[in-house]
Amino acid sequence: MNVEETLHRAEAPLFWVGAFTVASLVLWLVYRLLSGFRIWVLGNGQLLSPKLGKWAVVTGATDGIGKSYAEELARRGFAVMLISRSQDKLDDVAQSLEAQYKVETRTIAADFGRSDIYSKIEEGLAGLEIGVLVNNVGVSYTYPEYYLNIPDLDNFITYMINVNMTSVCQMTRLVLPRMAQRSKGVVLNISSASGMYPLPLLTVYSATKAFVDFFSRGLQEEYKRQGVIIQSVLPFFVVTKMTRIKKPTLDKPTPERYVAAELATVGLQSQTNGYFPHAVMGWFTTKLVPIDLVIFFGARMNRLQRTGYLRRRKQRELQNGNGIKHG
């Protein structure tokens, strides 16, 4: 058999292999486009409404993303239980919601850095028909820093774990049983894109947010057959006090814009970046870029931020030492 005959015999099988490959890619692309249209254009309709339960509970509800969740859920007709550390701020947000949306509000002042607060919260939630829980409260570093150089490291570890991890587990423990009994309810656990891969110099924060993501996806599989939706939410940068970003851009939205987009994904994605530009960024950094490069560039960015922060702090100390004050 010569080369020409061999190629002729292989022609038909190769044609069908190629055709199958092209057809598979086309079908995959069509599926992804339709899924994206369903999620980012059509959304979930009227899924999030007080039909799930009269009350929405939001932790970390006085600033940023948490406050925007409280406002959007109040706009949809939920009575809102606000939980945060400062009673004064809680009262301000509660009064604003009542005045603007004519909904009932309640508040619980609690420091999630402590582990002895949950009996008080449980008492405050007793008897409420809770349709939505937003586990939003969180804390990050003051500035990027190497692990062993973190000031007051022992207390830092305990505080960050209590706020970012224990709060999610404990609040879910308090609310989930009644949702499961009623076979309806939504739990939104606010993680972070920092939990999608290790982020050096924010290592503890990144690890706690990875926990929130894994915890959420595991519970979703456990309780989805009981009619409860548990969603892991992984935003990139949003204009908040925590990120210190002041000017919104396409990829750095305001909390209001982010929350409106994220709530449209509930019931459609169990793990979401919540906002279309963030979804593109998440796909790019997890599917196209090697993880080692993501870690390298994340570390490089945080080292630069650390250097800038320490330089500015030293300048302030020198100015204060020379008696120079700025109003």
Side-chain angles (χ1 to χ4, degrees), residues 141 145-151 153 156-157 201-204:
Y141 288 41
E145 184 55 280
Y146 293 93
Y147 180 65
L148 294 180
N149 293 344
I150 296 171
L153 179 58
F156 173 89
I157 293 168
L201 281 77
L202 294 175
T203 299
V204 182

Side-chain angles (χ1 to χ4, degrees), residues 94-230:
Q95 291 169 11
S96 174
L97 295 181
E98 290 175 2
Q100 187 170 358
Y101 302 106
K102 313 302 180 186
V103 297
E104 183 180 355
T105 65
R106 296 186 188 180
T107 65
I108 301 174
D111 181 356
F112 284 98
R114 300 170 59 95
S115 59
D116 58 354
I117 61 174
Y118 294 99
S119 58
K120 175 185 177 180
I121 294 176
E122 184 174 16
E123 182 179 345
L125 298 181
L128 300 184
E129 184 188 60
I130 299 171
V132 178
L133 166 64
V134 183
N135 280 315
N136 165 75
V137 67
V139 63
S140 187
Y141 288 41
T142 303
Y143 67 96
E145 184 55 280
Y146 293 93
Y147 180 65
L148 294 180
N149 293 344
I150 296 171
D152 195 14
L153 179 58
D154 186 24
N155 289 327
F156 173 89
I157 293 168
T158 301
Y159 192 79
M160 183 163 287
I161 288 175
N162 281 343
V163 175
N164 291 359
M165 295 170 59
T166 304
S167 68
V168 176
C169 296
Q170 291 284 17
M171 289 300 301
T172 303
R173 174 183 67 84
L174 296 178
V175 171
L176 184 58
R178 281 168 285 178
M179 289 183 172
Q181 289 171 3
R182 295 185 293 113
S183 297
K184 57 182 177 181
V186 171
V187 178
L188 304 179
N189 292 330
I190 312 305
S191 177
S192 166
S194 301
M196 298 169 66
Y197 21 68
L199 191 57
L201 281 77
L202 294 175
T203 299
V204 182
Y205 176 76
S206 175
T208 60
K209 290 304 184 178
F211 170 85
V212 173
D213 179 45
F214 274 54
F215 177 77
S216 305
R217 289 191 284 156
L219 283 189
Q220 170 63 14
E221 180 60 30
E222 292 180 24
Y223 288 96
K224 66 183 181 181
R225 292 176 181 82
Q226 297 186 43
V228 181
I229 296 171
I230 300 170

Side-chain angles (χ1 to χ4, degrees), residues 1 5 8 21 28 33 51 57 66 104 113 118 128 158 160 183 200 204 221 231 234 298 319:
M1 184 182 299
E5 291 176 342
H8 181 73
T21 301
W28 176 84
L33 289 173
K51 292 179 181 179
V57 178
E104 183 180 355
Y118 294 99
L128 300 184
T158 301
M160 183 163 287
S183 297
V204 182
E221 180 60 30
Q231 187 186 51
L234 303 107
Q319 290 169 353

Side-chain angles (χ1 to χ4, degrees), residues 57-75:
V57 178
V58 184
T59 67
T62 56
D63 289 299
I65 290 177
K67 183 180 178 182
S68 292
Y69 269 110
E71 291 171 343
E72 179 61 23
L73 291 168
R75 188 187 69 80

